[in-house]
Amino acid sequence: MQAFFFIAFPYIALILAVGVGLYRYFSHRFTYSSLSSQLLEKRQLFWGSVPWHYGITLILFAHLLPVIFPAAAGAILGNHTRLVVLELTGLALGLYCVFGIVGLVARRVPTGSAARAVTSPMDWILLLVLAYQTLSGVGIALFERWGAAWYLSTAVPWLRSLVRLHPDASTVIGLPVFIQTHFISGFLVILLFPFTRLVHVFAIPIEYLWRPYQVVVWNHDPQPPHAPVSPVPVAAMPPTPSESTDKERRQLLARLSIIAGGITAAIVGIPSIGFLLGLRKTPETWRSLGPVDSFPVGETTAVSFLDSSPLPWAGVTAKTAAWLRREGPEQFIAFSINCTHLGCPVRWLPNANLFMCPCHGGVFYKDGTVASGPPPKPLATYPVRIREGAVEILTSPLPITTV
Ligand code: FES
């Protein structure tokens, strides 16, 4: 079931968003708007729309940037002060968005309100999903703190694996259900995108920046006395040549968009179906960590190594870290650096002989078992072996089972 929600569902959402979005754009281009009700309820709209749009745009960037630049995000979050500042900023923006979405929903609730009249059933569904997304985000910020840190080691690898068409949900499958529903509803928003007013995000009127200003005159009289009455029903009039050409062009573009959607579906669908059927296996490779003698007996050392299948452009993001402990002349244990609670990187405290998780205070003994705090199970371990005087580690996806 989790494989469906974290592997198949994101691709389904993306395929529908691209395919149906393109189709709607080319066949019903004038519906690419939010059906603006600014002229109907300007004041209520301001208090809902402005906080919502500013808040959600910044939050969206805060979620996307670590996926695009994980190494830079890791470097920024490595400083405690910066982490606290980002955490508080995120919470403030989340509350700002809650204020906005409450305003956007409230203005539609009264029967007879002008905004309600231009809200479709799908828009209501979208608003409810967005409200859940925002409230659950604030809930996570409040009750699962240091999300900026653990997001980097849980959601980011999963999202990057989806982009690489090599889906791997192992880093999110163990997360609390509350956090998982936040991720899933994020993709639900993407799925709803082409069926609702959300399409207006791609109808940003940039040309307003340079076009000459317009004077809009409000006509208070819905039926002016001089309004001409058309003697011929519009439907009965034959289409002009330019209307026919326009119709053909739209039909052609609609067909092209269906083809583009089909190609997109094939590109992302075939690898993910292969993965779900178990046809695609994550490769495992032994990587050398260095000569045996470079690791003193009884000590725990940070080591880094390359993924089993690094992409040529992956740079430092292809590197993984682990804690290597030498128990005896030929006994080594390699611990995953990720805490088993929410995946924050644990630190080794040599004086205390303990691993400490900075996010929620999880503590592990030197053998990886839980000493205290919220982690539900011991630190995961990698298989280790000695070959020709060097310590080698078996790269594998998380979570790594204890061996
Ligand atoms: S991530 Fe919560 S205690 Fe480690």
Side-chain angles (χ1 to χ4, degrees), residues 144-146 149-150 153-154 175 338-346 356-364 372-376:
E144 302 287 3
R145 64 182 193 275
W146 312 127
W150 55 256
S153 50
T154 52
L175 292 177
N338 296 107
C339 174
T340 51
H341 178 219
L342 292 178
C344 285
V346 295
M356 173 85 193
C357 177
C359 282
H360 314 100
V363 182
F364 301 85
S372 70

Side-chain angles (χ1 to χ4, degrees), residues 120-132:
S120 70
M122 283 304 281
D123 290 334
W124 277 114
I125 294 172
L126 174 70
L127 281 167
L128 290 179
V129 176
L130 288 175
Y132 177 77

Side-chain angles (χ1 to χ4, degrees), residues 23-63:
Y23 178 77
R24 180 171 166 185
Y25 183 77
F26 289 123
S27 58
H28 302 86
R29 183 171 301 185
F30 292 110
T31 65
Y32 255 65
S33 84
S34 58
L35 290 179
S36 172
S37 48
Q38 188 179 12
L39 298 176
L40 307 175
E41 290 177 348
K42 197 171 174 186
R43 185 165 303 159
Q44 296 96 314
L45 177 66
F46 175 85
W47 289 109
S49 181
V50 172
W52 170 255
H53 283 93
Y54 280 113
I56 203 66
T57 305
L58 291 171
I59 286 181
L60 204 58
F61 275 115
H63 281 71

Side-chain angles (χ1 to χ4, degrees), residues 79-316:
N79 176 293
H80 187 67
T81 309
R82 286 195 291 255
L83 181 61
V84 171
V85 169
L86 283 174
E87 194 83 1
L88 290 175
T89 309
L91 179 59
L93 285 173
L95 292 171
Y96 195 46
C97 281
V98 170
F99 181 75
I101 195 84
V102 167
L104 289 176
V105 171
R107 65 194 281 266
R108 291 177 161 84
V109 169
T111 31
S113 88
R116 187 181 180 125
V118 292
T119 305
S120 70
M122 283 304 281
D123 290 334
W124 277 114
I125 294 172
L126 174 70
L127 281 167
L128 290 179
V129 176
L130 288 175
Y132 177 77
Q133 188 67 1
T134 319
L135 287 168
S136 59
V138 169
I140 290 170
L142 286 173
F143 303 113
E144 302 287 3
R145 64 182 193 275
W146 312 127
W150 55 256
Y151 176 76
L152 208 53
S153 50
T154 52
V156 167
W158 165 57
L159 293 170
R160 288 176 67 89
S161 78
L162 293 177
V163 174
R164 292 197 327 246
L165 301 182
H166 201 295
D168 177 7
S170 56
T171 54
V172 289
I173 273 175
L175 292 177
V177 175
F178 180 49
I179 297 176
Q180 291 182 332
T181 57
H182 182 73
F183 295 162
I184 293 167
S185 74
F187 278 100
L188 187 55
V189 172
I190 294 174
L191 186 146
L192 290 174
F193 159 82
F195 303 101
T196 61
R197 64 179 56 221
L198 199 56
V199 290
H200 78 275
V201 297
F202 286 125
I204 304 168
I206 310 170
E207 70 273 13
Y208 281 22
L209 294 174
W210 56 81
R211 75 159 194 202
Y213 68 85
Q214 291 179 332
V215 178
V216 177
V217 180
W218 181 268
N219 185 353
H220 288 276
D221 188 349
Q223 287 246 303
H226 313 300
V229 178
S230 173
V232 183
V234 174
M237 294 174 70
T240 63
S242 72
E243 281 173 341
S244 308
T245 317
D246 196 41
K247 193 175 168 200
E248 280 166 20
R249 188 175 57 87
R250 270 191 274 131
Q251 280 175 343
L252 174 70
L253 289 171
R255 281 190 202 117
L256 285 177
S257 64
I258 291 171
I259 294 169
I263 293 171
T264 312
I267 289 173
V268 299
I270 292 170
S272 48
I273 289 170
F275 182 87
L276 288 175
L277 295 177
L279 302 178
R280 291 192 68 172
K281 299 261 182 280
T282 304
E284 294 183 334
T285 312
W286 288 99
R287 298 264 187 233
S288 174
L289 299 176
V292 173
D293 295 340
S294 56
F295 302 102
V297 176
E299 289 200 7
T300 302
T301 317
V303 290
S304 72
F305 52 95
L306 274 183
D307 283 346
S308 52
S309 54
L311 295 170
W313 56 86
V316 291

